Every structure is written in C-alpha cells, then in structure tokens.
C-alpha cells in the first residue's frame, strides 16, 4: 500500500465469510477475496445479482457479523462489533413502533454520540435540525404506523444522521418505495448527504442497491459484485459532475456507465432467473 | 352493525339490547321456573337471590370478603408480574439460561395450583400468606411463558438498529426488547390475572375446608361456609355471580389497559 496517501476511511483486506449450516455442518461461502479501500467522504454504491453477498459485506462492515478470515478496519482500527461510528439504515427501516418520530430520531443520542456529550437542549436542537433537514417538520409526534413509506424512510435517514456516524451504511433504503418516489428521494438523499455537516466534511457512504441506474446516479464509485461465490468483480468510477440532478440522467455518459455495469452483471442475472443456465429466447433486456 | 345515518342514541340502545337481551331472558325463565315448577321454598330464584345479595352486602360482610380476595389476588399477581417478566426477559435473551431452566419450568407448569395446596398449607398455614402463595404460583407461568415467547418474536432488526446506534446491552434490553415484547407480556398479564382470580377462589374454598370454616376470609371461604354450614343456596348463587362478574370486569379492565399502553397497535 502507498503509505504517502492518507489512510482510507474503510479498508477491507482479504475478507472471507463462510456460513456453517447448523445441522449438516456444510460450509457456504457468502463472500470471498474482498479487498476494498474507501476514502473519506466517498459515496460508494454496491450492486450485483441476488446472492452476491452485498448485504453480507454491509453486515460485516457494520460489525453485526464477523469475517471468517481477513480484516476490516475503520480509521485504521479493526471492526469487531457494532458501534455508533458506523450507522446503518436497514431495508425495512427498523423504526421502533412505540416511539414517535421525534423519539426515534433522538433515541441514540441518549447514549452519547461518539465523542460528544450533549445537554438536553443540545439534543433537542439536534433532533429538530434533522427533522427539518429531511422535511418532516410538523410530524414529530406521529408514530411510524401513521406515516407513509416515504416518510418512514426519511425518519430512518434522520435517525441515521442524527447519531453522527462517520460511515453511513445503507442497505437498499429506497427499495420499498415506488419508482417515482425513489427518483425524488435519490435527489433528496444526495442533497442531505452533502448538507449533513454540522461539521465540514461529507460523510462516507456505502449504499447497496439492485438498481443500476440508481447506483450510477448516486455514486462516486460503483462496486460491482458477482456471485457463486460472492466477490468483487469490478470497481467502476463514476465521472459524472456533481451536484447530480434530473438532467444528469439524460447525459450520454450516464447511459454508457449503466450499460457497462449491466454488461458485467447480465449473464449472472439471467442465470439467476433461469435455473437450467440457458438464456431466455427473447433478447429484451431485463432490468433487475 | 348500524349505518352511519343512525342516531347516536339508536346505536347505543341497540348495543345495550345486544348485551343484555339473552341474560334477561334467561333470568326471566329461571324466575318463572322457580315460581311454578320448583318444589322447595329454599330453591334459589332471582327474586330471592337479589334479596339475599342486598342482605349479604348490608349484614353479611360480602364487600369485605370480596376486597380481601381481591387484595390477595393483586398482591400475588404483582409478585408474579415482577418475577415472571424479569425472568422471561432474561430467559428470552440468553439461550443458555433458557435451556438450563426450561426443564424445571416445564415440569412444574402443568401442576395445577390446587395440587400444591397441601404443601402450601403446611408451609404457610391457613391465612392470607397461603392464599397469596397459591395465586403467585398460578399467575407465574402464563406470564413467564408469554414473556419468553414475546421476546423470541422481537424483530432482530430493532435490536441490531439499537446496537448500531451505540446503545449499551442493558439499555437495549429495557428500552427495545421490553417494549417490543409488550404485546405478548400484556396478553400474559391478562391471562394470568384471570387464572389468579380462579385460583384464589379455589384456594380459599380449599383453605376454608381445611380450617373448618375458620379464619381464612375471602369470598371463596364465604362460599364454603354457605355450602357446609348454613346451606344457604341463595347465598351461594350470589357469591357465584359476584365471582363471575368480577372475572369479567378484570378481563375488560386489562383489555382497556392493553389498548392504552400500546397505541401503535391497530
């Protein structure tokens, strides 16, 4: 490694994760040979066919699981357990149903964000800042069951950010939303990510998605994974200008990147929907 | 049910009618049977039962006995609530603990509260401690089992979310697992309370028998006295009805509490 460059925010070295079936003892390799450096402030998207281990990698980085071998380091320190420095946004949001929007967002703050000890007033101010930021002002007292899917997603995002983690881990956070809401929230997400700072630097973000266009739209780099066994196939830099807007999607370069990534995934995607391994007769491109 | 255009009064009245019609019919049939078909003047009929009821309230210490039984039940239930919920939370969260305690618990759970009455009487005598002990035993298992079950059904993602926010383990247990398991715990509490009320009556009946209708107090013991000493059938019926009505009220109270404590459950 080049010691002259700054230490990467997150480094995965030779990560291997295997699962042991409880009764048969059979070993399944979820991911293998994962080597990845992610710099501070980068927005990295991870795409790949089903079963390529995207969520496994995220769980390992989050500390919710540990690698069979290999190391994961955040700021040079090994990751062994979950922590407030690596915040997670789950696919189904995992909001506490018995807490209001306000309480959900502020929940982690009661236990001290890393390095900060807040007074009651500071906590209140911080929660209200993020309620405003995600556009939920006026809904603080509502409960999750009273919110739409898009609103719940924003609560989950506000909760993630309010805790002040250095690294944002997001597992298909927009997956449960309809396509139109998704397009809007992609732009929103980038705006919020770029504006999260009560500090100056951007947060480092790892975003898992099935949607290739979403990945290209959001990312600085796209990590393309393949399956059987799960591993990193390629890392594609996205040289589209920021800030990304609706017009970005009309740029020729946007389509080229999407096609490039789809070419890497296509064969495996077909195989995933057709067990015999034969390609379907119709040549219509199947969007995952 | 009624349409939206029905007046508020109409809706309320039809509801009252729904609840009371069948019991009223039964009471009327019972009264008529007593007046025309029954042989004995001591046979319980609604008219005599009602007069006996007022007599017992005024002179027979019915209210006092009822309060005594209720106190025992509440105390026993409270002990079980604390013990059962705490142990259930721990067992549900630590599989090792659950595996080691499970055989003992499953060995005792089928043992009806009345089956341990002899031992309880030997240990605690025939007064309030014995009755409360039976209630505690009876209420313990539904609470424990439902708490463990509730904890096992807690969405793992909620626990994971809390841990990724830096919440320490004990706080996760109290602030995430406990509220998430609350629906099951409250169900267990409602069932426990119902079982406890049944158990206290039976226990007081049994204790009353042992002590020769003496000092145990409570409505169950009252019933025993009416059964074996004064043979007052009307009084027995009064006690039975009171026990049943209290059971119903307890159940309804708990259901209201469930709705209030868990506004997020539709």
């Amino acid at each position: 490694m080049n010691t002259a460059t700054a230490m990467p925010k997150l480094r995965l070295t030779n990560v291997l994760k295997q699962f042991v079936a409880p009764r048969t003892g059979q070993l399944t390799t979820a991911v293998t040979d994962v080597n990845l450096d992610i710099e501070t402030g980068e927005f990295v998207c991870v795409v790949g066919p089903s079963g390529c281990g995207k969520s496994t990698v995220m769980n390992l980085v989050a500390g919710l699981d540990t690698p069979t071998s290999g190391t994961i380091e955040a700021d040079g320190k090994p990751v062994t357990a979950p922590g407030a420095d690596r915040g997670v946004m789950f696919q189904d949001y995992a909001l506490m149903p018995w807490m209001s929007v306000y309480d959900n967002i502020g929940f982690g703050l009661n236990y001290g964000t890393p390095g900060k000890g807040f007074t009651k007033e500071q906590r209140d101010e911080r929660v209200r800042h993020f309620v405003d930021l995600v556009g939920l002002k006026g809904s603080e007292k509502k409960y999750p069951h009273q919110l739409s899917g898009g609103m719940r997603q924003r609560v989950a995002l506000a909760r993630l950010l309010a805790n002040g983690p250095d690294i944002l881990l997001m597992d298909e956070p927009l997956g449960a939303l309809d396509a139109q809401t998704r397009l809007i929230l992609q732009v929103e997400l980038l705006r919020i990510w770029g504006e999260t700072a009560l500090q100056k630097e951007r947060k480092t973000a790892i975003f898992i998605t099935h949607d290739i266009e979403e990945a290209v739209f959001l990312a600085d780099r796209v990590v393309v994974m393949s399956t059987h066994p799960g591993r990193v196939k390629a890392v594609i830099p996205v040289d589209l200008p920021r800030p990304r807007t609706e017009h970005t999607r009309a740029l020729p370069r946007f389509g080229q990147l999407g096609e490039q990534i789809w070419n890497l995934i296509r064969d495996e995607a077909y195989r995933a929907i057709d067990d015999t391994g034969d390609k379907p007769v119709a040549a219509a491109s199947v969007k995952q | 049910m009624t349409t939206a255009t029905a007046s508020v009064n109409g809706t309320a009245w039809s509801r009252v009618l729904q609840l009371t019609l069948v019991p009223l019919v039964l009471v009327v049939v019972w009264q008529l049977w007593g007046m025309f078909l029954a042989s004995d003047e001591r046979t319980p009929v609604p008219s005599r039962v009602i007069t006996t009821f007022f007599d017992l309230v005024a002179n027979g210490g019915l209210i006092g006995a009822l309060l005594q039984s209720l106190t025992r039940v509440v105390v026993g239930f409270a002990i079980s609530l604390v013990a059962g919920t705490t142990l259930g939370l721990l067992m549900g969260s630590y599989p090792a603990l659950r595996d080691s305690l499970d055989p003992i618990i499953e060995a005792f759970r089928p043992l009806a509260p009345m089956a341990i009455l002899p031992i309880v009487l030997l240990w605690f005598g025939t007064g309030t401690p014995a009755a409360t002990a039976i209630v505690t035993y009876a209420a313990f298992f539904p609470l424990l089992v439902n708490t463990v079950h509730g904890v096992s059904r807690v969405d793992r993602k909620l626990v994971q979310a809390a841990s990724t926010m830096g919440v320490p383990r004990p706080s996760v247990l109290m602030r995430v697992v406990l509220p998430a398991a609350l629906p099951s715990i409250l169900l267990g509490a409602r069932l426990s309370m119902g079982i406890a009320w049944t158990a206290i009556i039976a226990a007081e009946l049994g204790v009353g028998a042992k002590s020769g209708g003496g000092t145990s107090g409570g409505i169950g013991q009252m019933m025993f006295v009416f059964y074996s000493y004064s043979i007052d059938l009307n009084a027995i019926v009064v006690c039975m009805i009171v026990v049943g009505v209290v059971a119903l009220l307890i159940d309804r109270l708990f259901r209201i509490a469930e709705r209030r404590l868990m506004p997020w459950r539709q």
Side-chain angles (χ1 to χ4, degrees), chain B residues 15-255:
Chain B
R15 184 107 174 92
V16 169
L17 204 62
Q18 257 188 340
L19 290 171
T20 59
L21 188 61
V22 171
L24 273 176
V25 167
L26 289 174
V27 168
V28 168
V29 167
W30 178 19
Q31 178 75 23
L32 293 173
W33 166 80
M35 290 199 309
F36 298 112
L37 294 176
S39 53
D40 202 299
E41 62 135 29
R42 290 192 303 171
T43 312
V45 283
S47 48
R48 285 188 215 122
V49 166
I50 292 171
T51 49
T52 312
F53 172 72
F54 285 111
D55 179 49
L56 283 174
V57 169
N59 309 317
L62 182 65
I63 305 289
L66 189 59
L67 285 174
Q68 186 159 27
S69 296
L70 277 171
T71 310
R72 290 163 173 176
V73 164
V74 167
V75 170
F77 175 75
I79 298 172
S80 280
L81 184 66
V82 171
T85 315
T86 311
L87 190 61
L89 273 174
L90 292 171
M91 279 176 69
S93 308
Y94 297 102
L97 185 67
R98 182 181 61 227
D99 291 339
S100 51
L101 287 182
D102 203 53
I104 306 171
I105 290 170
E106 285 303 309
F108 275 96
R109 187 166 64 89
L111 214 58
M114 292 313 294
I116 67 163
L117 184 63
I119 277 208
V120 168
L121 290 177
L122 284 171
W123 274 343
F124 291 96
T126 57
T128 297
T132 311
I134 300 244
V135 168
T136 310
Y137 177 83
F140 179 73
F141 292 102
L143 265 169
L144 180 69
V145 168
N146 275 284
T147 304
V148 173
H149 179 70
V151 171
S152 75
R153 288 189 61 214
V154 169
D155 187 355
R156 287 293 133 217
K157 284 279 188 298
L158 295 178
V159 175
Q160 286 181 333
S163 65
T164 61
M165 290 192 277
V167 180
R169 198 86 209 267
S171 300
V172 173
L173 211 61
M174 291 302 296
R175 302 280 309 272
V176 179
V177 176
L178 179 55
L182 200 61
S184 287
I185 294 175
L186 289 181
L187 175 67
R190 178 159 58 85
L191 296 175
S192 269
M193 193 58 166
I195 289 171
W197 181 240
T198 311
I200 191 64
I201 304 302
E204 284 171 353
L205 269 170
V207 172
K210 160 87 170 128
S211 65
T215 56
S216 65
I219 198 164
Q221 198 242 342
M222 234 182 143
M223 275 207 286
F224 177 76
V225 167
F226 291 136
Y227 163 73
S228 52
Y229 293 100
S230 10
I231 323 231
D232 187 342
L233 295 174
N234 287 295
I236 293 179
V237 171
V238 167
C239 289
M240 284 166 59
I241 293 177
V242 167
V243 168
V245 168
V246 170
L248 186 65
L249 287 173
I250 290 174
D251 185 78
R252 288 295 178 263
L253 229 88
F254 267 79
R255 284 186 202 261

Side-chain angles (χ1 to χ4, degrees), chain A residues 62 64 82-88 90 92 94-99 104 107-108 110-111 143 145 159 163, chain B residues 155 157-168 171-172 175-181 263-266:
Chain A
L64 294 167
D85 59 320
R86 281 152 292 126
V88 178
F90 296 91
D92 47 7
L95 301 177
M96 313 293 170
W98 59 90
M99 290 187 190
N104 259 298
F107 182 45
N110 295 319
Y111 302 95
Y143 287 89
H145 73 264
R159 182 178 75 176
N163 241 39
Chain B
D155 187 355
K157 284 279 188 298
L158 295 178
V159 175
Q160 286 181 333
S163 65
T164 61
M165 290 192 277
V167 180
S171 300
V172 173
R175 302 280 309 272
V176 179
V177 176
L178 179 55
W264 69 92
R265 296 257 298 182
Q266 292 101 327

